[in-house]
Amino acid sequence: KNLTVKNVKFNFIDFGGQQQRIKDYENCFSGVTAVIYVAALSDYNLTLVENQHINRLQHSISLFHQLVKNPNFAQSGIILFLNKEDLFMQKYKHNRIPINDPATNFFPGAPTEADEIFSECSSAKEWLREQFLEDLPSGREVYVYFTNALDRERMKKIFDSCASHILQDNMRLTGLVP
């Protein structure tokens, strides 16, 4: 799938659900200027279909860390979409499903509803964001966006911002800007 935003061409290759075949796709990684990694925030209380002992969001965090540390992407910009923000807020805020369910204990140390100051679930979202960003290589910059892919206007603004980040990173890599 291709998309052009602000004269920046985006070629999308979806690897979702195929991590065991990632080696088969390595030829697609040559010349990649940026990677957009999409993780579903709303998966925090779900497990993998193929393994009920592995939390989906923890698995996504692990795959993200592998991607960021992959030498093929050492010079690529990394953009993280923490998607399904609306469904996350519905589960966490309205349905009161905690991030760290005592029955599973997938996310010890996660904030609770009592930790929230505002109604936007900012403590919980920030805590989950930090789970993705911890233990990254020193100096590795990641652009993070909380998204709802169904909100077209917001996604357009986010893609405009992503295009600007990609252009800046490429100009820095070529020495056009410090």
Side-chain angles (χ1 to χ4, degrees):
K1 181 97 178 164
N2 296 323
L3 172 71
T4 302
V5 177
K6 287 187 170 182
N7 295 322
V8 175
K9 184 179 176 185
F10 290 85
N11 292 321
F12 291 95
I13 302 168
D14 183 359
F15 294 105
Q18 299 182 29
Q19 59 268 17
Q20 54 278 52
R21 294 192 54 212
I22 202 94
K23 292 274 186 219
D24 298 340
Y25 297 105
E26 289 218 342
N27 64 326
C28 298
F29 301 156
S30 177
V32 170
T33 54
V35 174
I36 298 174
Y37 188 90
V38 182
L41 278 178
S42 60
D43 282 356
Y44 72 91
N45 69 323
L46 302 175
T47 57
L48 297 177
V49 173
E50 60 273 20
N51 187 335
Q52 296 293 307
H53 300 289
I54 299 175
N55 176 276
R56 285 188 192 180
L57 191 56
Q58 283 181 332
H59 184 65
S60 186
I61 292 167
S62 175
L63 291 175
F64 178 74
H65 287 166
Q66 290 174 35
L67 175 127
V68 171
K69 295 172 184 175
N70 185 319
N72 290 307
F73 303 121
Q75 299 299 313
S76 303
I78 303 292
I79 300 163
L80 173 60
F81 284 3
L82 296 176
N83 197 35
K84 299 187 179 183
E85 178 184 29
D86 56 329
L87 296 177
F88 167 77
M89 290 178 68
Q90 178 68 35
K91 282 180 162 183
Y92 181 69
K93 178 180 166 190
H94 300 292
N95 297 348
R96 300 187 189 300
I97 299 172
I99 294 173
N100 187 35
D101 182 347
T104 60
N105 202 30
F106 284 129
F107 291 104
T112 65
E113 187 181 353
D115 297 322
E116 296 297 337
I117 298 170
F118 302 108
S119 63
E120 297 303 311
C121 306
S122 55
S123 294
K125 291 189 312 188
E126 182 59 27
W127 187 86
L128 289 168
R129 177 186 168 279
E130 289 301 318
Q131 301 311 296
F132 278 91
L133 299 180
E134 73 180 18
D135 298 326
L136 296 185
S138 179
R140 185 62 157 149
E141 190 165 12
V142 176
Y143 303 104
V144 183
Y145 298 91
F146 289 94
T147 61
N148 169 1
L150 299 177
D151 184 341
R152 289 182 178 265
E153 276 305 306
R154 186 170 171 199
M155 288 307 296
K156 182 184 178 330
K157 290 176 186 173
I158 289 171
F159 270 102
D160 284 348
S161 180
C162 289
S164 294
H165 288 309
I166 292 167
L167 286 172
Q168 286 175 337
D169 286 350
N170 285 327
M171 291 187 339
R172 196 175 9 251
L173 280 173
T174 59
L176 292 174
V177 295

